[in-house]
Amino acid sequence: MDDADDFSASTVIAWLMYTRETLHRLIYNVRTNPNVNILEICGRQKLETLELSHNSITGVEPNFQRFPCLKSLSLSYVSISALDLNLLLTACPKIETFGLVNPEIAMSDAQVTVELSSPTLKSVYVEAISLDKFILEADSIESLHLKDCALELFELIGKGTLKHFKIDDVSVIQLYIGETVDNLEIIDVSNFTIIWPKFYQMISKSSKLRKLRLWDVVFDDEDEIVDLENIAVCFPHLSHLALSYDLRDGVVNYGLQGSSHLEYVIILELGWTVINDLFSLWVEGLLKLCPNLKKLVIRGVVSEAKSHEECQMLANFTSSMVQLMRTYMHVDVQFDYE
């Protein structure tokens, strides 16, 4: 029913009672008056996937409201306490995938803290949540995606199983993703303020890394740079590199220094938000570091109202790219402007 007005609770309950014994998948996005207790009606059944929106969850009893077969749980715009949220995961002994979008977390004290624990979780997606502390204990987790969140502290406690880590438009003061990150294969960071030395130290032991994406990132210190020499040394299997951040003279010159090459990088994505004359030099420098490159993608933002200077800069960039690619005839080049 999506955003329709309140629907009849008795009708919804009747549908659920009639189908619950054979139900494997439930997508519930309807407002009712009064609220329908999905856990009480559908617990202890065969449900494997539950996508629950616009509902209120209170007083979770893991022993009674149990979901023995549930593997995927998604909660969107749901009102629930931090305690009940953890108890709900406890009530799903086989859960592998968990999504939490814009919840209303009821708290008893001033500090908003959520602690979740599950030994079976493999994939976690969290969006539009504002908390003081978010602590996730997941020994089997392989994929973690945080989007549009405001957190003072986020901590992942695991056993080094994480393979895919993505953060997009997240504000976090303290970020910990565990001591053992040896199995990380993909790191995707966008719209994020980075303290590069700390971030690099956190991921530097990820020797199996295949893809590193740092897109529209801002450095906490203007003098910080992404040291490509260290990236080449610490991530020997890196095959996909994507970079987009403000370029300054020091960033271009110092960031490209070093004797190590990105030998295995075959896909290179480079982007700008505001183009300047340094971008062409940066592209050329990175091409020299990637001797086995097969594909280059240039992504840029072109404003609607362009001054003559902006037009000339874009024209100069285009000319320099044409000249540059004559040297790299074997590289497939794509341009993507917005």
Side-chain angles (χ1 to χ4, degrees):
M1 299 301 294
D2 292 332
D3 293 326
D5 293 333
D6 287 357
F7 205 67
S8 167
S10 59
T11 303
V12 173
I13 291 171
W15 290 342
L16 293 172
M17 294 295 286
Y18 185 73
T19 59
R20 65 178 180 173
E21 292 184 6
T22 56
L23 205 59
H24 285 254
R25 185 180 183 202
L26 173 62
I27 302 173
Y28 185 100
N29 185 8
V30 58
R31 294 177 175 86
T32 61
N33 190 10
N35 182 67
V36 174
N37 191 330
I38 299 294
L39 307 188
E40 189 174 311
I41 296 172
C42 296
R44 307 174 309 283
Q45 303 295 336
K46 299 176 182 178
L47 206 60
E48 296 176 4
T49 300
L50 174 60
E51 297 179 24
L52 187 60
S53 304
H54 300 112
N55 196 262
S56 179
I57 299 174
T58 57
V60 177
E61 296 285 348
N63 295 325
F64 178 68
Q65 296 165 334
R66 199 166 181 79
F67 291 85
C69 302
L70 198 71
K71 292 184 178 181
S72 177
L73 173 64
S74 175
L75 302 177
S76 303
Y77 306 96
V78 166
S79 175
I80 189 170
S81 71
L83 176 60
D84 280 334
L85 188 57
N86 193 40
L87 289 174
L88 181 55
L89 287 184
T90 305
C92 308
K94 292 185 178 180
I95 191 168
E96 295 181 358
T97 303
F98 177 58
L100 185 64
V101 177
N102 202 5
E104 182 183 332
I105 306 290
M107 298 301 299
S108 56
D109 53 26
Q111 191 176 57
V112 185
T113 301
V114 167
E115 296 184 39
L116 302 180
S117 177
S118 170
T120 57
L121 269 178
K122 292 183 178 180
S123 177
V124 175
Y125 175 81
V126 178
E127 179 182 349
I129 191 169
S130 179
L131 296 170
D132 293 321
K133 291 183 180 179
F134 194 131
I135 300 172
L136 174 64
E137 185 174 354
D139 291 344
S140 304
I141 192 167
E142 296 180 2
S143 175
L144 173 63
H145 185 178
L146 305 177
K147 181 178 180 181
D148 191 21
C149 297
L151 307 165
E152 287 193 14
L153 178 146
F154 179 87
E155 181 177 3
L156 173 65
I157 302 170
K159 293 186 176 179
T161 56
L162 190 65
K163 294 181 179 180
H164 186 178
F165 177 52
K166 182 174 183 179
I167 47 177
D168 179 8
D169 197 14
V170 171
S171 171
V172 59
I173 297 174
Q174 299 179 72
L175 174 66
Y176 304 102
I177 57 172
E179 291 294 325
T180 51
V181 291
D182 299 355
N183 289 304
L184 265 176
E185 296 178 4
I186 298 174
I187 296 175
D188 188 335
V189 179
S190 56
N191 303 296
F192 186 68
T193 299
I194 286 181
I195 302 174
W196 178 250
K198 276 189 175 182
F199 186 80
Y200 172 74
Q201 185 180 14
M202 183 173 66
I203 67 171
S204 61
K205 295 180 181 178
S206 307
S207 58
K208 296 180 182 178
L209 198 69
R210 295 183 293 105
K211 178 179 179 180
L212 175 62
R213 183 173 183 264
L214 304 175
W215 207 259
D216 290 345
V217 296
V218 176
F219 297 107
D220 187 63
D221 186 338
E222 285 189 0
D223 295 327
E224 288 178 354
I225 62 162
V226 174
D227 190 339
L228 293 169
E229 171 77 7
N230 283 341
I231 287 178
V233 171
C234 290
F235 310 132
H237 301 291
L238 192 68
S239 61
H240 188 158
L241 178 62
L243 300 173
S244 174
Y245 44 81
D246 285 341
L247 296 177
R248 300 178 305 281
D249 288 317
V251 170
V252 174
N253 296 331
Y254 183 68
L256 295 172
Q257 287 181 357
S259 58
S260 299
H261 286 76
L262 297 159
E263 296 283 351
Y264 290 95
V265 171
I266 58 174
I267 301 174
L268 181 62
E269 295 183 58
L270 302 173
W272 76 74
T273 50
V274 179
I275 192 170
N276 59 31
D277 292 329
L278 295 172
F279 191 78
S280 300
L281 298 174
W282 190 51
V283 174
E284 183 178 2
L286 277 161
L287 281 171
K288 291 178 180 178
L289 291 179
C290 305
N292 298 306
L293 194 67
K294 293 182 179 179
K295 184 176 182 178
L296 171 65
V297 182
I298 302 292
R299 304 188 189 278
V301 177
V302 180
S303 61
E304 291 184 13
K306 290 176 285 294
S307 65
H308 175 71
E309 184 182 356
E310 287 175 318
C311 291
Q312 191 61 49
M313 197 173 292
L314 192 58
N316 292 341
F317 167 71
T318 305
S319 299
S320 64
M321 283 298 100
V322 171
Q323 292 177 353
L324 183 61
M325 295 322 296
R326 286 172 181 160
T327 310
Y328 298 91
M329 297 290 287
H330 61 284
V331 177
D332 176 25
V333 184
Q334 292 182 9
F335 295 89
D336 184 6
Y337 295 157
E338 62 179 63

